[in-house]
Amino acid sequence: MRTFLRILLSLLILVVLLGLLTIAVGPFIVSPSPAPGVTDAELVAAPESRFIALPTGADEPQEFHFIARLDEETPGPAFMLLHGFTFNLFTWSQLLDLFAQYGRVVAYDQLPYGLSAKRVPEIAQQSSDIYSKAAALEQLFALADALELEQLILVGNSSGGTLALEAALAAPERVSGLILIAPWVYSKRPMLPDWLVGLPQMQRVSLGLARYLGRNSPLLDYSYADTAKIDEERRALTGAHRLMAGWDLAWGALLQRSLTDPVTIAERLGEIEQPVLVLTGDADQIVPVSDTQATADALPNATLVQLPGCGHLPQEECPDQVEAAISSWLETQRPGTGPTP
């Protein structure tokens, strides 16, 4: 019996050691070689694409990709369109003409998405600067300043909605209103201690996850109520980042940073006094309708509209419904927001 117990204990120790070895070494199976592609985004840009170098926190300026309608003759506010996690400015393609009727409009690729720069920090601390919440806010207002857009209505989908809310708190004098589509407010993402995130193994895990999310865009399918509406052009636009070299390393650095940067905006919703339109698709599988309802309830001056038969990206899947809701809301706001004749 004692011999059997000794053998059993030895086997148990061996299993534990093998498990620890797998945890320690397994992530290194993920290759650190960057994805191929172009290094100059202008070589694969759309006809309307424009590029501008902007500050990025403590890092050197980086190139941002944007599309804008900046007719100085169009009265009203300026709209800045903020895409969500793993998406890009092309998510707004079907609504650009709508916003251009009411004012100047700009949609841009947040770092490191779409055709914006694919910066890979050389040391871990730099990733905390370039991909931090504070840096994203700085980049948003730097673009607005560069384009001479003083008063903004921020339009954000998912995590873009979170960024819009943070901007309204950071500079309320610059933000006159918000349009939030399924804002990522109450949904939680994993948070890990700095020491764990800093391990080389975690860097490879983040890189592996980035490649999974970026190669086939699985969130695109989850974000539609009816995936039959996703055509090949839409898939190609969602995957525009794959045209650029090193996109996977940049996405991995962003994911690495997000593991220590919690979403805390829910604690301060009551401080946001600007008028807000909140939209939710009733078939949203990413941000539950109940979460979006709770966000609208916590905002002092919010209007909630539920869109039947729509998922997490109604601006893509149900643009007519989104356009009707936005137009109706804008026309109830202060003078100067109506469309041009």
Side-chain angles (χ1 to χ4, degrees):
M1 178 62 72
R2 290 180 179 178
T3 301
F4 173 76
L5 290 176
R6 282 197 297 270
I7 294 173
L8 186 61
L9 180 60
S10 298
L11 289 173
L12 179 60
I13 292 172
L14 179 61
V15 168
V16 171
L17 290 175
L18 287 174
L20 292 174
L21 183 63
T22 300
I23 293 172
V25 178
F28 290 107
I29 297 174
V30 178
S31 171
S33 300
V38 302
T39 55
D40 182 357
E42 296 193 38
L43 296 176
V44 292
E48 286 190 289
S49 291
R50 298 168 63 175
F51 295 88
I52 189 171
L54 296 173
T56 54
D59 213 293
E60 66 268 21
Q62 298 292 318
E63 192 169 68
F64 283 74
H65 173 229
F66 71 99
I67 290 177
R69 310 281 175 83
L70 301 175
D71 185 355
E72 295 291 345
E73 300 301 319
T74 304
F79 297 89
M80 183 165 282
L81 315 184
L82 310 172
H83 64 78
F85 176 65
T86 78
F87 292 94
N88 56 50
L89 66 79
F90 294 116
T91 195
W92 303 110
S93 297
Q94 300 180 81
L95 295 183
L96 289 173
D97 289 341
L98 164 68
F99 288 114
Q101 294 179 54
Y102 289 89
R104 289 172 291 171
V105 56
V106 57
Y108 72 100
D109 289 332
Q110 300 157 42
L111 291 185
Y113 296 119
L115 300 182
S116 285
K118 303 293 179 281
R119 180 75 172 94
V120 181
E122 296 178 2
I123 59 175
Q125 181 58 41
Q126 289 178 336
S127 68
S128 298
D129 297 327
I130 192 171
Y131 295 132
S132 69
K133 182 191 307 180
L137 286 171
E138 180 181 344
Q139 294 152 23
L140 184 160
F141 288 113
L143 178 57
D145 291 342
L147 299 179
E148 299 182 347
L149 308 177
E150 182 60 32
Q151 287 295 312
L152 304 170
I153 290 182
L154 299 177
V155 185
N157 174 225
S158 197
S159 62
T162 309
L163 180 57
L165 288 163
E166 294 282 1
L169 285 169
E173 73 284 358
R174 297 285 302 272
V175 180
S176 58
L178 300 171
I179 299 174
L180 308 177
I181 303 176
W184 184 275
V185 173
Y186 291 100
S187 300
K188 301 297 182 182
R189 63 189 182 200
M191 289 290 112
L192 299 175
D194 291 346
W195 68 266
L196 180 57
V197 172
L199 293 176
Q201 292 92 331
M202 283 304 303
Q203 295 176 17
R204 296 293 181 89
V205 169
S206 295
L207 177 56
L209 178 58
R211 286 173 175 160
Y212 167 71
L213 292 172
R215 280 175 173 160
N216 299 307
S217 303
L219 290 182
L220 178 63
D221 291 277
Y222 281 110
S223 295
Y224 273 62
D226 180 4
T227 56
K229 294 181 179 179
I230 308 174
D231 57 22
E232 289 308 310
E233 180 182 10
R234 175 51 53 191
R235 290 191 183 279
L237 290 172
T238 301
H241 57 274
R242 295 193 290 269
L243 299 172
M244 296 189 64
W247 68 265
D248 53 344
L249 300 187
W251 279 36
L254 171 70
L255 290 177
Q256 186 86 355
R257 180 64 179 87
S258 71
L259 292 173
T260 60
D261 203 356
V263 178
T264 58
I265 190 66
E267 301 168 5
R268 301 187 62 191
L269 293 179
E271 301 174 35
I272 297 173
E273 299 179 352
Q274 295 93 329
V276 185
L277 173 64
V278 183
L279 303 179
T280 179
D282 68 355
D284 193 330
Q285 301 180 73
I286 305 295
V287 174
V289 173
S290 58
D291 283 4
T292 304
Q293 173 74 65
T295 298
D297 290 344
L299 291 164
N301 191 13
T303 300
L304 176 69
V305 176
Q306 188 165 312
L307 307 172
C310 304
H312 189 59
L313 297 174
Q315 70 272 17
E316 294 185 18
E317 185 179 14
C318 312
D320 291 343
Q321 290 190 56
V322 173
E323 181 172 336
I326 290 175
S327 295
S328 177
W329 181 77
L330 287 174
E331 289 164 10
T332 67
Q333 301 307 303
R334 66 180 184 275
T337 59
T340 55

